[in-house]
Amino acid sequence: MRRLALFAALFAAFTASAQDKVLRVVPHSNLNILDPIWTTQYMARNHGYMVYDTLFGTDEKNRIQPQMVEKWSESPDHRLWTFTLRPGLAFHDARPVTGEDVVASLERWGKRDAMGQKLMTFVERMDAPSPNSFRIFLREACGFVLEALGKPSSNVPFIMPKRVAETPADKQIDDATGSGPYIFAKEDFKPGDKAVYIKNTKYVPRQEPPSGTAGGKQVYMDRVEWNLALRDAQAQVNALARGEIDVIEQPAFESYPALQADKNVQVVNSNPLGFQYMCRFNHLHAPFNNQKVRQAALAAMTQEPFLRAQVGIKEFYRSCASMFTCNTPYGSAKGSDIQSKSNIKKAQELLKTSGYDGTPVVIMKPTDLAAIQKLPDVAAQLLRQAGFKVDLQAMDWNTVVTRRAKKDPPAQGGWNIFCTAWVAPDIWNPLANPAVGALGEKSWFGWPSDAELEKLRDQFARETDEPKKKALAESIQTRAFEIATHAPLGEFIEPLAARRNVTGFVTGPGNLYWNIKKN
Amino acid sequence: MMLRNWSVRIGSMVLVLLVVVALAAPWLGTVDPTLFDAASRDLRPGQPGEITTLEGDTVKHVFVMGSDSYGRDIYSRVLYGTRVSLIVGLAVALVALALGIVAGLVAGYIRWADGVLMRVMDGIMAIPAILIAIAVVALWRASLTSVILAIAIPEIPRVTRLVRSLVLTIREEPYVEAAVALGTSTPKIMFGHILPNTAAPLLVQGTYICAFAILLEAILSFLGVGLPPDIPTWGNIMAEGRVQFVAYPHNVFFPGIFLAVTVLAVNMLGDGLRDTLDPKMTQGRVRTQVLDEHA
Amino acid sequence: MPVLLVVAVLVFALLRLAPGDPAAIMAGDAATAEQIASIRAGLGLDRPIVVQFGIWLGKVLSGDLGESFYFRIKVATLIGQRLEPTFALAALTMLLAVLVSVPLGVLAAWRQGGWLDRALMGFSVLGFSIPVFVLAYLLIWLFSLELGWLPVQGYARIAEGVGPFLRHLVLPATTLSVIYIALIARVTRASVLEALGEDYIRTARAKGLPELRVLVRHALANAAVPIATVIGIGVAILIGGVVVTESVYAIPGLGRLTVDAVLARDFPTIQGVILFFSVVYVLVNLLIDLSYVLLDPRIRY
């Protein structure tokens, strides 16, 4: 009898997994914050795309397309925007999505997101004249209303129920009710273990084919499970090879040869725009408060060694002299010679004439972020070869983030260099790219200060003529290389790996889980 | 007499060899263990490649034990790693013994301090050693000093207990009572009469601590909370190698062998010493205390 | 429970005196100083350390371990979620270790100096010396990748069926048990050896009792106390041993929870978990003390 019960239990366990279509995913990081408005973390953003829907989306060609919105209009003076929601939109608790929910959601997002904050400086008020519409009243005309509402990456203006969106912007929300294609299974969420998303059977997708974050969000899976426990790169590869999981969002670069050799596994790039690496100098303190020393460092830090060490796979990286990423509107090699046409000997000469006094360079190395872990080692070696004294300090990424905000001298808990990576859209123009801001202590970590650079950026912001904008972007880049704001270190892609029977990956800034089929 | 024990003999021979290797590392065909060249990444043992020196010159080099995913020479890293492991093992043993002896003498000899000290020691013992170590290293900056302290702290209570119990026994001995009666000062009794009699068991305890420290250092590095990754230690080499263990097992294999052999040698030395120095000590009793921390 | 109070003070001091600001970490990359300050105030981190300790201790005494900074879930709930894998791993490891090591130890003592004895002693020194993770990778490579018998990672709840549950745990438990097999076998051997030298054994043998009966009923029974002690200590140290094993096999247990919490500076979780471990340690020691009464009729409290 007892044996019978045992068999029954075993049987139940096997059949449950056979009947449900479950997609088992190893996401790129841990999911610990469930409020995509409160934090800019990409994991929270991806969680948001599961659970919430957006007013507009950005398609593969970077055009804004309606998503929850059916039709919209703007008044002749461009100051009143009226939007109508498409029919059939409902939250997971079955309540319809109304204009009031939208207004409350936009208000909360407008307090956190940088672009949202900017939009709100134009907004006079917002209201919902009827349950299925909302209006935005502007003080003066504003050219990026749709771009802001269809923003594809953090913070994405996700639409939440009014009662949730009324949570103060500086507090995290408690309720993951959305109107998106999946429902968050709160009772199954085990931090550091797994997060479960169940198909929202009531979701009404648009009719257009999916493209980026726009188009129809068709769901073919019953459940998507994020495995948050499986973080060892080798174990991920083993588990995928054995079919214990279906997708690895960001395999370690070291894993690709093994993945590509496995005939049951495919490597798919769903983010063709790719990423750019950079190392940032701290302009406040010695030795990098000296422009000539920064130039010597920049000359030492040619891109190929970084890319080869960190990425290693030729097809996955390329050198790119542009600070605004290559093959994009403002991608150009202008002014980059000091880095792109350099070598160690040149760097050694530059350093000798710079007045460098042997102050050690403190480089912060995160030990728990495989995607950028080797950059600091390469920087250290190249700088040493150029004649610098280097103090490579290892710490976890959390400490890097805490410490890079400190303006103290390196000896008192500050720093000289840290390295990071950006998604292309975050840095592809002189306004978005935080590294070329030069407002001193008001700028992004590293705090360069340069009146000329700021003047050029200001001109760029006012300019509307596209060829002139391009010329200005080139001048900005030339100036930025001249004062050595930072060292761009080339571009790379980081394709996902999946079992061959998983198809239909959508291209986008993050990993999106609609349209995916598992045969 | 001690060297007649085969366990002591093998253990100490291996250790002497390791010390020689550690000291002579620069002359054993190694290169700078931190230097790397992406052109030489993931070489299998025995393959030739190149290394760029700090002056910027590129030289040919044969990677006897292969290279890692940076293109660093595993052979050089493993050899230089010997230094770190031996230093950590020795330093932890010395620190733990020194602090433990002081605390143990105080607790055993000064009545009023006994209660407080032993409660604190009980508290430290109640926290799994690896958790203390992880917390200390992760929360403070990882360095040779912080790692040594992090591993030594959980060891102290065991030394303290051992010393205290020895003190309590020895102080009843007639010669100590005589010294007390003669008015010898307390520190003089503690260090002049009692301490020498605790040397043998402490030596044994010290070797076990040393073996454990070498293992735990590797474990901490492996978990990513050990010594900075640019310092070549066996744990760090393995932590980096685990990412591609299946394709390139040599990254884990070579440092793993060195680590196991070293710990084995220290353990054998300890076992042998215990048997020769104090045959009365039941097999496994001291081991048991030491194993408290094998976690 | 003065021990636990000491643990509480130690842990609290260790965490709060260390650099690293959870508020800055939580706020994300783009946060301003004001945002970080407001988060810090929200977490209560702006108050004096002594006050923070008082508040925390007061809550703990009323059974409340507080709430994780990150997940904003009760620490007790978090521990509850992670308890099963860790407990299952520890229990299976101990079971395996005892089942293998006690017979081995008895046999080795019985034929002291024989090949089994020497092999066992050699193995046990080796068992103490091989790093857990090296062994883990060897086992994964052999049994999961080459032979394909067992899953490479993960944990299946016992509710998902006994089969998957055991299949997932076999490798981790085997990995972890090696060191305990070495330890317990040694102590068993030594204790049985001691017992075998006693007069009553000679008497029993002289009376013509079967050798097995002599070994088990007399020698082993009299060696029970040291064996129980070492098993008890083994249970206590297992708590730490699971950290590495959980990391290699991607088991979502308490060990992983602690490492993650430390890296994220999630103070309430670190404090809660360490306090929990210490309580387990104290309880296990208490149980060992009590078990002496059962095992050794000479001891009466």
Side-chain angles (χ1 to χ4, degrees):
Chain A
M1 190 60 219
R2 215 198 283 155
R3 187 177 293 176
L4 202 67
L6 182 72
F7 277 124
L10 281 174
F11 188 65
F14 286 126
T15 48
S17 54
Q19 280 167 359
D20 280 5
K21 278 207 178 279
V22 183
L23 191 72
R24 291 154 305 171
V25 175
V26 175
H28 68 270
S29 177
N30 197 3
L31 177 71
N32 47 21
I33 295 170
L34 298 178
D35 187 341
I37 305 299
W38 190 84
T39 179
T40 54
Q41 284 180 8
Y42 288 163
M43 279 301 288
R45 176 200 67 195
N46 290 0
H47 161 84
Y49 273 115
M50 301 295 280
V51 177
Y52 304 104
D53 211 347
T54 56
L55 297 169
F56 290 85
T58 304
D59 71 12
E60 283 168 10
K61 301 211 167 76
N62 293 309
R63 291 171 309 204
I64 303 294
Q65 305 284 3
Q67 183 56 259
M68 293 169 85
V69 165
E70 186 171 53
K71 56 184 199 295
W72 71 98
S73 61
E74 50 184 316
S75 64
D77 64 353
H78 307 293
R79 286 181 49 208
L80 172 60
W81 292 67
T82 309
F83 303 84
T84 310
L85 298 171
R86 64 189 170 93
L89 298 176
F91 287 112
H92 301 150
D93 58 8
R95 282 183 221 198
V97 179
T98 67
E100 291 198 347
D101 296 314
V102 173
V103 169
S105 299
L106 290 182
E107 271 170 357
R108 184 160 186 269
W109 164 77
K111 285 179 192 138
R112 297 291 300 186
D113 179 56
M115 201 159 181
Q117 287 167 348
K118 197 151 199 181
L119 180 66
M120 288 305 149
T121 60
F122 289 88
V123 171
E124 189 179 288
R125 66 189 173 92
M126 296 185 279
D127 73 353
S130 71
N132 69 340
S133 67
F134 66 98
R135 293 185 295 192
I136 299 179
F137 297 82
L138 301 177
R139 284 192 193 89
E140 54 179 306
C142 164
F144 59 94
V145 174
L146 296 187
E147 280 78 0
L149 299 184
K151 193 175 185 247
S153 194
S154 298
N155 304 89
V156 180
F158 291 117
I159 301 308
M160 303 174 175
K162 188 179 176 207
R163 61 167 201 283
V164 179
E166 278 171 344
T167 310
D170 55 358
K171 282 185 75 172
Q172 292 182 54
I173 56 170
D174 283 317
D175 183 342
T177 305
S179 64
Y182 288 96
I183 299 170
F184 181 60
K186 202 171 182 184
E187 65 286 355
D188 286 336
F189 177 47
K190 302 203 174 65
D193 181 0
K194 67 173 175 179
V196 177
Y197 300 87
I198 297 162
K199 179 182 181 175
N200 176 8
T201 50
K202 307 267 168 56
Y203 184 76
V204 186
R206 296 186 72 89
Q207 292 310 307
E208 300 93 335
S211 173
T213 61
K217 300 178 180 177
Q218 299 283 355
V219 174
Y220 303 108
M221 306 303 302
D222 296 313
R223 279 160 82 87
V224 174
E225 291 184 6
W226 287 1
N227 184 335
L228 306 170
L230 187 53
R231 264 167 286 160
D232 179 70
Q234 183 67 61
Q236 291 176 357
V237 173
N238 296 347
L240 190 68
R242 303 228 338 154
E244 292 169 22
I245 51 170
D246 300 307
V247 180
I248 306 173
E249 280 189 0
Q250 268 181 22
F253 288 115
E254 288 85 358
S255 302
Y256 285 108
L259 293 167
Q260 284 168 325
D262 189 330
K263 58 184 184 305
N264 295 316
V265 169
Q266 54 179 336
V267 172
V268 183
N269 185 20
S270 67
N271 183 3
L273 284 172
F275 307 79
Q276 188 186 70
Y277 285 128
M278 71 164 65
C279 282
R280 178 68 153 178
F281 306 117
N282 184 347
H283 294 238
L284 293 184
H285 299 290
F288 290 140
N289 53 3
N290 175 343
Q291 180 171 326
K292 283 185 176 161
V293 177
R294 287 199 303 274
Q295 285 172 340
L298 190 56
M301 292 161 76
T302 46
Q303 296 183 351
E304 182 69 16
F306 288 93
L307 294 165
R308 243 168 120 174
Q310 179 67 59
V311 182
I313 305 159
K314 273 240 148 53
E315 313 89 79
F316 287 5
Y317 71 78
R318 65 163 177 237
S319 294
C320 164
S322 174
M323 288 180 171
F324 307 122
T325 68
C326 290
N327 301 334
T328 56
Y330 304 113
S332 156
K334 260 254 165 85
S336 70
D337 287 9
I338 182 162
Q339 186 196 19
S340 59
K341 300 215 172 108
S342 176
N343 58 45
I344 284 295
K345 301 282 176 228
K346 269 189 192 161
Q348 287 170 346
E349 284 159 28
L350 277 174
L351 190 64
K352 263 179 213 136
T353 57
S354 71
Y356 173 65
D357 60 354
T359 313
V361 175
V362 173
I363 304 181
M364 299 195 287
K365 172 186 162 95
T367 52
D368 53 344
L369 214 59
I372 57 171
Q373 206 180 65
K374 292 179 182 169
L375 302 178
D377 296 85
V378 184
Q381 178 158 325
L382 292 175
L383 291 181
R384 279 185 188 130
Q385 284 166 344
F388 282 92
K389 266 187 77 179
V390 176
D391 179 9
L392 183 64
Q393 297 190 3
M395 55 197 83
D396 54 68
W397 175 245
N398 283 329
T399 310
V400 175
V401 171
T402 313
R403 204 165 145 186
R404 71 176 182 186
K406 279 196 183 150
K407 291 174 183 164
D408 302 321
Q412 287 145 42
W415 54 277
N416 291 117
I417 287 185
F418 75 89
C419 302
T420 187
W422 295 91
V423 191
D426 284 344
I427 53 165
W428 66 9
N429 76 53
L431 288 183
N433 191 328
V436 295
L439 280 169
E441 304 212 2
K442 273 189 249 163
S443 303
W444 191 59
F445 315 110
W447 312 285
S449 180
D450 186 59
E452 192 185 330
L453 189 55
E454 274 308 309
K455 207 177 89 198
L456 288 166
R457 287 182 76 222
D458 202 48
Q459 282 171 16
F460 179 89
R462 285 158 204 276
E463 188 55 64
T464 50
D465 181 52
E466 210 40 58
K468 280 185 191 157
K469 274 175 107 169
K470 272 186 191 164
L472 276 168
E474 286 186 337
S475 315
I476 291 170
Q477 175 169 301
T478 306
R479 181 63 186 163
F481 270 115
E482 199 180 327
I483 64 163
T485 50
H486 66 289
L489 298 176
E491 291 173 9
F492 67 102
I493 52 167
E494 201 165 15
L496 60 84
R499 298 286 294 180
R500 285 235 180 254
N501 60 346
V502 182
T503 55
F505 290 101
V506 182
T507 299
N511 298 83
L512 307 169
Y513 289 101
W514 52 83
N515 197 48
I516 289 180
K517 285 185 183 149
K518 184 177 161 188
N519 308 309
Chain B
M1 135 86 173
M2 243 155 59
L3 281 176
R4 220 173 287 152
N5 182 300
W6 65 272
S7 189
V8 174
R9 229 184 290 168
I10 297 180
S12 45
M13 257 161 57
V14 173
L15 283 176
V16 167
L17 197 67
L18 282 165
V19 170
V20 170
V21 164
L23 292 176
W27 299 279
L28 294 174
T30 57
V31 293
D32 183 338
T34 58
L35 277 183
F36 55 88
D37 197 316
S40 305
R41 48 187 291 174
D42 298 329
L43 295 178
R44 298 198 181 274
Q47 277 187 296
E50 55 189 36
I51 283 278
T52 307
T53 65
L54 272 186
E55 290 73 42
D57 308 316
T58 303
V59 291
K60 294 253 173 286
H61 180 72
V62 176
F63 293 76
V64 183
M65 293 185 184
S67 68
D68 63 9
S69 67
Y70 284 79
R72 293 181 295 209
D73 182 29
I74 296 292
Y75 171 73
S76 306
R77 291 178 71 70
V78 167
L79 254 52
Y80 279 94
T82 312
R83 293 183 172 182
V84 180
S85 285
L86 292 180
I87 288 174
V88 168
L90 201 64
V92 167
L94 289 179
V95 170
L97 283 181
L99 295 177
I101 286 170
V102 172
L105 286 178
V106 170
Y109 212 86
I110 306 171
R111 280 273 147 76
W112 60 265
D114 189 27
V116 182
L117 251 172
M118 293 320 285
R119 287 298 79 70
V120 172
M121 294 299 162
D122 287 347
I124 298 177
M125 276 185 82
I127 309 175
I130 200 166
L131 295 186
I132 300 185
I134 290 174
V136 170
V137 181
L139 297 179
W140 302 84
R141 214 188 116 202
S143 67
L144 200 56
T145 323
S146 72
V147 165
I148 289 170
L149 278 180
I151 303 176
I153 290 172
E155 299 293 325
I156 296 170
R158 289 161 187 101
V159 183
T160 307
R161 283 188 165 191
L162 182 65
V163 173
R164 177 175 171 272
S165 67
L166 290 170
V167 171
L168 291 181
T169 325
I170 296 169
R171 62 184 283 169
E172 308 297 327
E173 301 275 335
Y175 68 93
V176 177
E177 284 184 345
V180 175
L182 287 173
T184 319
S185 73
T186 306
K188 203 164 181 187
I189 294 176
M190 286 205 291
F191 290 97
H193 295 269
I194 295 182
L195 197 55
N197 285 290
T198 62
L202 283 177
L203 186 61
V204 177
Q205 180 86 340
T207 32
Y208 290 143
I209 291 177
C210 179
F212 168 70
I214 293 173
L215 258 185
L216 187 54
E217 184 273 317
I219 288 176
L220 286 178
S221 299
F222 179 78
L223 289 174
V225 289
L227 284 169
D230 55 320
I231 298 182
T233 76
W234 295 334
N236 279 338
I237 304 169
M238 288 189 273
E240 269 146 24
R242 69 190 280 206
V243 181
Q244 38 187 2
F245 169 71
V246 175
Y248 303 104
H250 64 260
N251 286 331
V252 175
F253 183 70
F254 288 115
I257 296 240
F258 266 76
L259 176 59
V261 167
T262 308
V263 178
L264 191 65
V266 181
N267 271 330
M268 286 175 74
L269 183 65
D271 281 1
L273 286 178
R274 182 200 53 208
D275 293 345
T276 46
L277 288 177
D278 188 0
K280 278 177 298 181
M281 242 189 249
T282 323
Q283 292 248 356
R285 186 107 348 126
V286 175
R287 163 76 63 193
T288 306
Q289 290 173 339
V290 170
L291 235 105
D292 266 312
E293 321 89 44
H294 249 297
Chain C
M1 304 273 106
V3 173
L4 295 180
L5 185 68
V6 173
V7 170
V9 175
L10 285 176
V11 171
F12 202 89
L14 178 67
L15 296 183
R16 299 304 161 96
L17 296 177
D21 183 355
I25 299 164
M26 290 172 77
D29 297 5
T32 63
E34 294 78 50
Q35 276 173 327
I36 295 175
S38 96
I39 291 174
R40 197 178 293 126
L43 297 173
L45 290 173
D46 54 340
R47 278 173 269 187
I49 288 187
V50 180
V51 176
Q52 290 183 43
F53 180 71
I55 294 172
W56 177 66
L57 196 66
K59 277 191 184 162
V60 169
L61 289 177
S62 62
D64 179 7
L65 288 176
E67 195 178 70
S68 158
F69 282 168
Y70 276 83
F71 308 118
R72 298 183 315 130
I73 293 177
K74 291 267 175 217
V75 173
T77 314
L78 272 178
I79 293 178
Q81 287 177 350
R82 303 300 191 92
L83 197 56
E84 188 197 307
T86 301
F87 180 76
L89 175 60
L92 200 65
T93 302
M94 247 342 163
L95 191 70
L96 204 65
V98 171
L99 285 182
V100 173
S101 62
V102 172
L104 273 181
V106 173
L107 286 177
W110 180 49
R111 287 281 178 262
Q112 192 198 359
W115 64 268
L116 179 72
D117 187 27
R118 268 186 268 159
L120 182 72
M121 292 312 281
F123 160 80
S124 74
V125 194
L126 203 64
F128 293 129
S129 310
I130 291 187
V132 181
F133 50 89
V134 172
L135 190 65
Y137 278 121
L138 282 175
L139 292 176
I140 291 176
W141 175 77
L142 181 62
F143 290 102
S144 303
L145 297 174
E146 287 297 307
L147 298 170
W149 292 350
L150 296 164
V152 292
Q153 54 84 28
Y155 174 75
R157 280 176 197 273
I158 198 158
E160 294 169 42
V162 180
F165 169 76
L166 285 179
R167 280 168 47 80
H168 278 93
L169 272 185
V170 169
L171 282 187
T174 309
T175 310
L176 196 51
S177 65
V178 166
I179 199 168
Y180 301 105
I181 293 176
L183 172 67
I184 300 172
R186 255 183 183 231
V187 174
T188 307
R189 175 187 173 276
S191 319
V192 171
L193 215 52
E194 209 176 292
L196 283 176
E198 303 281 340
D199 289 341
Y200 60 85
I201 297 285
R202 253 171 269 147
T203 319
R205 280 182 171 152
K207 277 202 286 182
L209 286 179
E211 195 61 16
L212 187 68
R213 200 180 153 88
V214 174
L215 271 180
V216 176
R217 286 289 295 276
H218 296 275
L220 186 58
N222 278 286
V225 168
I227 298 175
T229 310
V230 79
I231 292 176
I233 291 168
V235 172
I237 57 184
L238 255 179
I239 293 168
V242 294
V243 174
V244 179
T245 320
E246 285 178 358
S247 162
V248 176
Y249 290 97
I251 297 171
L254 286 170
R256 287 298 297 275
L257 179 65
T258 321
V259 177
D260 288 351
V262 168
L263 288 179
R265 310 283 188 277
D266 191 351
F267 293 155
T269 309
I270 310 174
Q271 290 159 6
V273 176
I274 292 187
L275 203 62
F276 173 80
F277 279 141
S278 307
V279 170
V280 172
Y281 175 89
V282 170
L283 283 180
V284 167
N285 275 308
L286 206 65
L287 277 177
I288 299 167
D289 286 351
L290 290 177
S291 74
Y292 292 159
V293 185
L294 291 174
L295 293 172
D296 190 342
R298 283 167 298 187
I299 299 174
R300 285 276 177 271
Y301 289 110

